[in-house]
Amino acid sequence: MASMFLSSLDQSIISTAMPTIVGELEGVEHQGWLITIYILAVAVVMPLYGKAGDLWGRRYPFLIAIGLFTVASAGAGFAETFNQLVTWRGIQGLGGGGLMILSQAIVADIVPARERGKYMGPMGALFGVAAVAGPLLGGWFTDSHDWRWAFWINIPIGLVALAIAWFTLKLPTHRSGKRLDVLGAILMAVATSALILVATWESMVGKYDLADGRLVALIAGTVVAWVLFVVVELRATDPVLPLRLFRNSVFTVSTIIGLVIGMGMFAALGFLPTFLQMATGTGVTQSGLLMLPMMAGVMLTSIASGITITKTGKYKMFAIAGMGIATATLVWMTAITAEISMLQYSLMVFVLGAGLGLVMQTVVLAVQNAVDPHEIGTATSANNFFREIGAAVGTALFSSIFTSRLVDELQQVFAGTPAAGAGGEAAPASLTPQVVQTLPEPLRTGIVEAYAHALAPAFWYLVPLLAVGFVLAFFIREIALSDVAGMVARGEAVTPEEAEALLAARAAEAGLAGGAGDATEGVVVTDDGTREGGAADDGATPAGEADSSVTSARA
């Protein structure tokens, strides 16, 4: 929970601070990169963390991810230029990808799918809390202190999460004879990065022009990289992203739904606080507070659906309802104007959050329940990988559409107009909410209308994507939820009942029958082969590989 909060928080904490950050560091035209680079880095490393966890265990990759994320947060807080900040955001993502994927995989390891809704629901709710706490904290830091605290706040949280994981995360460590698919990992990183560069070309260069040799070479290189990646993965002994997973219809449909959720939802959410600040004159902190209804929507539906799934074992209907609600809400959001009432805006984001809460954790649960227990980490990371790819591409494309429209609008507003603010000259590249409020009329009104005219129509580009996801949700094949935790299914753990029976049998063999049941409840087999007492309420008692007799006894 602590690590999921960290990773989720940093996808949203700069949204309210971003207008001020890019204004101070003169990066308005490239502001989308602050979100895109983080999501891109998260996506690239997700399959690596998932595969490493399946091969060697999840404890140490998890600790490495927390440490990397915390160090990068410090670096981002001390960044002096826009390029430095983008670089540190990328390094943050390299740690954040592990935090997000390993959190979900660890829950799948110790909790049976039949009971997992109770755990995945609160984790989905936590994502909603982070989505709102992020903008709130970012706005408060920017208003009352310094936007750099949006990154420094991660340091104490990261240290606490590291301590929690170090002392309490008792998971078996494996010694796998398999080697990591290094070539596949490299090609995946190259192909993913190239795809994002194509998506952000307009914001970096100015326009898509097929007469530009650089753009043609980049598109060709992207296609070649993806083709080579597929060829390598088909031939690899143990691929980083096994393509055979796509033979599983549940995995394929759920992954495509995750992809369109990423492309539509994250792109839309990332720019709403900016719109509120620049177009409606809402303060930085207030724009964060106006995301509270979305948190309420996510928490309400994710927890309620998780409890219901646990009771009924049915999950398909929640994916259908969530995608339907999200699609309809996005159509509604195309009506946003600078004159929108805060009541209407709050209702919009509440309904959007409700849709997200119904579907996001549900598709992850469906994937984990449909694959081999030995590939839970790989399948979970693959599903999240495509969602993050969707988020990166969607944010990049949406940013390009929104920014290009905004720049055109602002150029018309500033054309032939001496823009003198309280601090001197103002220009489109260095606009902050504070500067906009000090500008004289009609310049200020022109800027406000420019932001409104640029954002609302851009939502129409996302509607078809969500509609595809809604249709696909009807094709999810509902499989009965498993009653066995991932570690138990793989022979890495035993249930408390199995541990009790095994040790009672040993006691009987040694002539110590009687009272063994009480003495062995919740027995944990540690990595060094010793046993420790402790109640186990998650359905799985770690066995480790140091004591093979436990696994052989189960067999």
Side-chain angles (χ1 to χ4, degrees):
M1 292 281 280
S3 65
M4 176 69 85
F5 181 74
L6 269 178
S7 182
S8 302
L9 186 71
D10 252 62
Q11 288 200 26
S12 60
I13 195 168
I14 69 166
S15 58
T16 44
M18 191 159 64
T20 301
I21 294 174
V22 298
E24 287 188 13
L25 300 182
E26 299 185 357
V28 171
E29 294 186 3
H30 305 293
Q31 60 184 289
W33 269 107
L34 287 179
I35 298 175
T36 301
I37 192 64
Y38 180 81
I39 297 176
L40 171 60
V42 165
V44 167
V45 298
M46 269 186 173
L48 300 181
Y49 280 112
K51 176 61 71 174
D54 283 345
L55 291 178
W56 304 303
R58 311 198 203 282
R59 173 178 167 81
Y60 290 107
F62 194 64
L63 294 172
I64 290 171
I66 296 176
L68 188 61
F69 183 91
T70 305
V71 170
S73 296
F78 288 105
E80 295 295 331
T81 67
F82 184 77
N83 289 337
Q84 288 179 10
L85 182 57
V86 169
T87 300
W88 282 113
R89 283 283 290 170
I91 298 174
Q92 269 190 317
L94 297 180
L99 299 180
M100 187 175 297
I101 187 61
L102 292 173
S103 297
Q104 296 176 343
I106 287 168
V107 171
D109 277 345
I110 64 176
V111 181
R114 191 68 169 80
E115 302 293 323
R116 208 171 296 155
K118 294 187 297 186
Y119 295 81
M120 300 295 274
M123 292 188 80
L126 186 68
F127 181 88
V129 171
V132 176
L136 274 174
L137 287 172
W140 182 64
F141 287 139
T142 303
D143 268 349
S144 304
H145 302 283
D146 190 321
W147 59 262
R148 297 178 186 277
W149 279 101
F151 301 104
W152 290 333
I153 188 61
N154 294 327
I155 298 174
I157 299 176
L159 292 176
V160 170
L162 189 64
I164 293 172
W166 181 266
F167 290 107
T168 69
L169 192 63
K170 299 183 183 298
L171 296 174
T173 299
H174 320 299
R175 289 187 178 181
S176 175
K178 298 178 181 179
R179 299 179 61 184
L180 188 65
D181 179 18
V182 177
L183 180 58
I186 293 173
L187 286 172
M188 181 185 66
V190 171
T192 304
S193 301
L195 179 63
I196 302 305
L197 288 175
V198 171
T200 57
W201 184 264
E202 184 173 1
S203 64
M204 294 186 300
V205 177
K207 63 178 179 177
Y208 286 102
D209 184 3
L210 292 179
D212 190 333
R214 296 173 300 171
L215 177 59
V216 173
L218 180 59
I219 294 175
T222 303
V223 174
V224 170
W226 279 110
V227 170
L228 288 175
F229 173 69
V230 171
V231 171
V232 168
E233 295 303 274
L234 287 173
R235 296 182 177 182
T237 303
D238 194 32
V240 67
L241 183 60
L243 300 183
R244 65 177 177 276
L245 289 173
F246 289 96
R247 299 173 189 167
N248 185 319
S249 63
V250 175
F251 174 84
T252 301
V253 172
S254 298
T255 297
I256 296 175
I257 290 175
L259 179 73
V260 298
I261 287 175
M263 293 188 73
M265 294 297 94
F266 290 101
L269 293 175
F271 291 89
L272 284 176
T274 296
F275 166 77
L276 287 174
Q277 293 176 45
M278 302 298 280
T280 68
T282 303
V284 179
T285 303
Q286 288 81 354
S287 67
L289 285 169
L290 287 172
M291 299 298 285
L292 280 172
M294 193 195 81
M295 178 187 74
V298 172
M299 291 184 66
L300 176 66
T301 57
S302 60
I303 293 176
S305 63
I307 294 173
T308 306
I309 289 172
T310 298
K311 289 182 177 179
T312 65
K314 305 295 183 181
Y315 53 86
K316 178 178 178 177
M317 58 182 176
F318 296 107
I320 295 173
M323 289 307 303
I325 292 171
T327 304
T329 306
L330 209 58
V331 173
W332 186 16
M333 292 175 72
T334 61
I336 284 179
T337 65
E339 291 77 31
I340 188 173
S341 70
M342 292 302 98
L343 177 61
Q344 182 181 353
Y345 173 85
S346 298
L347 188 58
M348 280 183 178
V349 295
F350 172 81
V351 177
L352 184 64
L356 283 176
L358 286 172
V359 70
M360 285 190 62
Q361 296 299 321
T362 302
V363 294
V364 174
L365 173 62
V367 166
Q368 292 177 339
N369 185 61
V371 301
D372 188 302
H374 292 85
E375 292 188 323
I376 283 180
T378 301
T380 305
S381 65
N383 179 264
N384 280 266
F385 169 73
F386 284 100
R387 189 193 69 200
E388 294 300 318
I389 285 291
V393 173
T395 301
L397 290 175
F398 190 83
S399 175
S400 296
I401 294 168
F402 169 64
T403 304
S404 62
R405 293 175 63 92
L406 177 62
V407 170
D408 290 342
E409 293 272 353
L410 290 178
Q411 285 177 346
Q412 295 179 21
V413 172
F414 277 85
T417 303
E425 294 298 313
S430 58
L431 285 176
T432 67
Q434 293 78 15
V435 170
V436 171
Q437 298 307 311
T438 64
L439 294 175
E441 296 292 353
L443 187 58
R444 178 183 174 280
T445 299
I447 294 172
V448 167
E449 292 179 350
Y451 271 85
H453 294 164
L455 182 67
F459 285 128
W460 278 116
Y461 292 92
L462 304 177
V463 171
L465 293 172
L466 272 295
V468 169
F470 174 57
V471 173
L472 285 175
F474 286 90
F475 292 91
I476 294 178
R477 183 164 53 93
E478 196 162 46
I479 302 174
L481 294 175
S482 171
D483 290 323
V484 181
M487 288 172 61
V488 173
R490 294 193 300 268
E492 296 170 359
V494 295
T495 64
E497 293 78 10
E498 289 173 321
E500 182 175 336
L502 173 65
L503 296 185
R506 287 184 176 178
E509 290 175 3
L512 299 176
D518 294 337
T520 59
E521 181 180 357
V523 170
V524 176
V525 180
T526 61
D527 291 338
D528 60 4
T530 60
R531 302 178 186 277
E532 300 172 351
D537 61 0
D538 55 23
T541 300
E545 295 187 351
D547 191 340
S548 60
S549 62
V550 176
T551 301
S552 61
R554 287 193 66 245

